[in-house]
């Protein structure tokens, strides 16, 4: 049995080495052939990604959905990305990405055991891997909490740790927005730490390094910089994908973004300027609004003022082997007991790892089964975040009833 496993591992390593040669050539073609064009298009000002030699574990904050592209353009030398399962569900684009760049796969919101095994194998072969330790990209401009498993990986992987920080990417491409803005993005090389240094550090010391190097608040940064990020088609388009609670009437799901204004049927009207700040409302930023709406919504749940959430046009998918099979399209309902889509009912205490991906769709697990719920923005403009907040409030499986990010 051991001999058979050894032969299988040797065969896998040989295949990885063959594929690595192809990935390296493709990376060079993209970097030198298209890099200048992409840097100009996205107004990128990137420090070179440090390369001290040997395998690197590259960690970066995650302010936008194009962060892998931005980080790749900072490095002449090829490296691998640890990518979410959803990246492999996009038909031809996913096939091309797998064949040309070879991303490693993980389930959204966690560094699973299988992903760790893949990364350790790459480090042993001398290759570098990048991951975004938040697991999800921020919706409010402030860095999300770092996954606890990241610190353990840093300490045990025996690779050089390289930390890198993106600044301004959220303001140019917020995850809730339908249209991108025009404005600069900066990449800062934050730190380089050898395996020997990391081995001598405690877990708390490594956690402090990651917080110091990676933490970023786009709105705090923007208050000092005052850099315009104008959107020709409307600064507020898509805001209802993230902001879901009206501070005026306390209604859920009644906000609508159009042009530069966010409005509610109750008469609330606020404007977003080209710097990303609100005027005419009780909060001057998406971050400030979100810091209010999370505890305010939890209070509505606690008092029984809000007992049920519903959205139309939702499609439930079951994901297996990178393929999403549609199971149902219609209404999605959540109450204190279950998430229900047609005849499919999932008790909240059986859901695991529920999170929001992209602008507004949900991912979760029931046992070993992986599900996704998507709603096309063109059909129904809504926020998936109150569903996440309700799940976090009522489900023991969600752990701490922390703020929604």
């Amino acid at each position: 049995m051991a001999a058979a496993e050894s032969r299988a591992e040797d065969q896998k390593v040989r295949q990885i080495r063959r594929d690595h040669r192809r990935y390296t050539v493709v990376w060079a073609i993209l970097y030198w052939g298209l890099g200048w064009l992409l840097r100009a298009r996205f107004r990128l000002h990137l420090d070179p990604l440090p390369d001290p030699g040997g395998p690197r574990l590259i960690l970066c904050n995650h302010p936008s959905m194009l962060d892998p592209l931005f980080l790749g353009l900072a490095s002449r030398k090829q490296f691998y990305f640890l990518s979410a399962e959803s990246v492999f569900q996009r038909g031809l684009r996913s096939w091309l990405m797998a064949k040309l760049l070879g991303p490693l796969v993980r389930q959204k919101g966690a560094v699973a055991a299988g992903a760790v095994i893949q990364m350790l194998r790459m480090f042993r072969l001398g290759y570098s891997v990048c991951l975004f330790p938040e697991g999800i990209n921020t919706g409010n401009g402030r860095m999300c909490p770092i996954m606890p498993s990241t610190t353990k990986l840093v300490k045990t992987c025996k690779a050089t740790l390289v930390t890198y920080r993106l600044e301004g990417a959220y303001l140019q491409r917020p995850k809730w927005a339908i249209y991108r803005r025009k404005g600069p993005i900066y990449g800062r090389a934050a730190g380089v730490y050898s395996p020997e240094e990391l081995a001598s550090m405690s877990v708390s010391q490594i956690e402090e390094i990651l917080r110091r190097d990676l933490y970023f608040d786009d709105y705090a940064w923007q208050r000092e910089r005052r850099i315009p990020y104008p959107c020709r088609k409307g600064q507020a388009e898509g805001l209802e994908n993230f902001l879901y609670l009206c501070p005026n009437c306390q209604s859920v799901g009644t906000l609508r973004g159009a042009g530069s204004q966010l409005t509610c049927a109750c008469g609330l009207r606020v404007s977003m300027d080209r710097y990303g700040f609100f005027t005419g409302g009780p909060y001057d930023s998406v971050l400030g609004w979100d810091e209010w709406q999370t505890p305010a919504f939890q209070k509505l749940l606690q008092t029984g003022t809000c007992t049920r959430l519903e959205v139309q046009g939702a499609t439930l998918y079951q994901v297996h082997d990178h393929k999403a099979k549609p199971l149902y399209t219609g209404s999605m309902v959540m109450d204190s007991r279950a998430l229900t889509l047609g005849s499919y009912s999932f008790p909240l205490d059986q859901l695991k790892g529920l999170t929001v991906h992209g602008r507004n769709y949900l991912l979760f697990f029931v046992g070993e089964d992986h599900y996704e719920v998507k709603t096309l923005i063109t059909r129904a403009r809504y926020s998936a975040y109150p569903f996440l907040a309700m799940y976090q409030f009522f489900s023991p499986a969600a752990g701490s009833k922390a703020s929604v990010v």
Side-chain angles (χ1 to χ4, degrees), residues 86-140:
S86 56
V87 170
F88 295 84
Q89 300 167 24
R90 300 173 183 173
L92 179 60
R93 284 184 296 170
S94 296
W95 183 86
L96 288 173
M97 189 179 300
K99 289 296 182 183
L100 300 180
L101 297 174
L104 311 180
V105 64
R106 70 165 175 83
Q107 304 293 356
K108 197 70 177 176
V111 177
V116 172
I117 291 172
Q118 293 181 75
M119 288 189 287
L120 294 179
R121 181 184 291 119
M122 291 299 183
F123 294 142
R124 286 196 298 271
L125 293 173
Y127 305 146
S128 299
V129 178
C130 170
L131 67 88
F132 299 97
E134 298 159 80
I136 56 175
N137 54 308
T138 177
N140 62 21

Side-chain angles (χ1 to χ4, degrees), residues 293-308:
Q293 77 176 357
T294 301
F297 180 63
Q298 291 176 344
K299 186 175 181 179
L300 295 180
L301 297 174
Q302 187 175 20
T303 60
T305 305
C306 177
T307 59
R308 186 175 184 270

Side-chain angles (χ1 to χ4, degrees), residues 81-220:
F81 286 99
L82 185 64
S83 301
E85 170 79 25
S86 56
V87 170
F88 295 84
Q89 300 167 24
R90 300 173 183 173
L92 179 60
R93 284 184 296 170
S94 296
W95 183 86
L96 288 173
M97 189 179 300
K99 289 296 182 183
L100 300 180
L101 297 174
L104 311 180
V105 64
R106 70 165 175 83
Q107 304 293 356
K108 197 70 177 176
V111 177
V116 172
I117 291 172
Q118 293 181 75
M119 288 189 287
L120 294 179
R121 181 184 291 119
M122 291 299 183
F123 294 142
R124 286 196 298 271
L125 293 173
Y127 305 146
S128 299
V129 178
C130 170
L131 67 88
F132 299 97
E134 298 159 80
I136 56 175
N137 54 308
T138 177
N140 62 21
R142 177 180 288 167
M143 184 177 177
C144 299
I146 293 174
M147 292 183 292
S149 54
T150 304
T151 306
K152 182 178 179 181
L153 176 65
V154 169
K155 190 167 178 62
T156 60
C157 71
K158 298 181 180 179
T160 298
L161 172 65
V162 175
T163 54
Y164 199 87
R165 187 174 62 252
L166 293 171
E167 304 175 354
Y170 170 84
L171 294 168
Q172 187 192 99
R173 305 190 70 87
K175 69 182 295 184
W176 48 261
I178 298 175
Y179 309 109
R180 79 176 185 94
R181 290 94 167 92
K182 292 183 179 179
I185 295 174
Y186 300 92
R188 310 297 188 192
V192 178
Y193 308 91
S194 70
E196 293 75 23
E197 288 179 277
L198 296 172
S200 66
M201 294 180 186
S202 66
V203 170
S204 60
Q205 287 176 318
I206 294 175
E207 289 175 346
E208 178 58 32
I209 284 175
L210 298 185
R211 281 194 295 267
R212 182 191 67 204
D213 289 0
L214 301 182
Y215 178 81
F216 193 71
D217 182 332
D218 275 86
Y219 283 107

Side-chain angles (χ1 to χ4, degrees), residues 45 54 60 206 288 367:
H45 307 271
C60 183
I206 294 175

